[in-house]
Amino acid sequence: MGDRGGRSLLRLPRLPRLSVAAAVVLGLLGGFLVAAVTQEVGGTVTPDVVDEVCSAPADGGRWCVQRRQRADGLVVGAVDELWVVRRQGGEDADRVTVVAWPYPGEAFDARFVEDTIVVRGPEGAQAVYPPAFYALD
């Protein structure tokens, strides 16, 4: 481009300081929003383990029943579930069986009785999960 007495013909507009500050604030808010949504989704996919009971080790692995919970979040409600996980060599398998916690507000009491999972509830109630329910293909 040509030059007129030391000045460029192509002039870029100057952004007011307020616009720059607003762009920075919006960028920070966007970053916080992405972080919050990521945490919310991650917590929903894998709630925290509260209690766990495992079967006796057999053929190199064992089954574990976990009670997992998550408090109310921004997008989803509270989660209270039973996860049945196969554990081999100290590592959890990729596939798990998930069921709703059958006794809301009650303490965790799960046991393995001849490979059948028995979850005890109030007043003698029981939820029974046979190996055909939770076993991997």
Side-chain angles (χ1 to χ4, degrees):
M1 300 270 151
D3 187 33
R4 283 193 199 159
R7 290 188 287 165
S8 174
L9 294 177
L10 179 63
R11 285 189 136 188
L12 296 175
R14 287 189 167 184
L15 294 175
R17 289 182 187 165
L18 185 58
S19 296
V20 172
V24 169
V25 168
L26 287 175
L28 288 174
L29 286 175
F32 286 127
L33 181 63
V34 168
V37 168
T38 301
Q39 183 174 0
E40 185 78 12
V41 170
T44 302
V45 173
T46 55
D48 296 328
V49 175
V50 177
D51 281 314
E52 179 179 79
V53 173
C54 295
S55 67
D59 62 33
R62 61 187 182 163
W63 290 97
C64 295
V65 178
Q66 302 171 339
R67 182 175 182 185
R68 293 186 175 222
Q69 290 180 326
R70 183 184 184 293
D72 278 332
L74 298 171
V75 179
V76 295
V79 173
D80 202 359
E81 300 170 329
L82 283 181
W83 287 40
V84 183
V85 180
R86 178 73 173 164
R87 188 169 291 154
Q88 287 184 291
E91 297 288 323
D92 290 351
D94 290 337
R95 182 174 161 208
V96 298
T97 301
V98 180
V99 296
W101 173 243
Y103 307 112
E106 296 297 320
F108 180 75
D109 183 10
R111 297 178 185 169
F112 284 87
V113 179
E114 298 176 10
D115 292 334
T116 298
I117 299 169
V118 178
V119 181
R120 299 175 193 261
E123 300 176 19
Q126 294 182 348
V128 179
Y129 303 102
F133 175 79
Y134 64 85
L136 302 175
D137 296 303

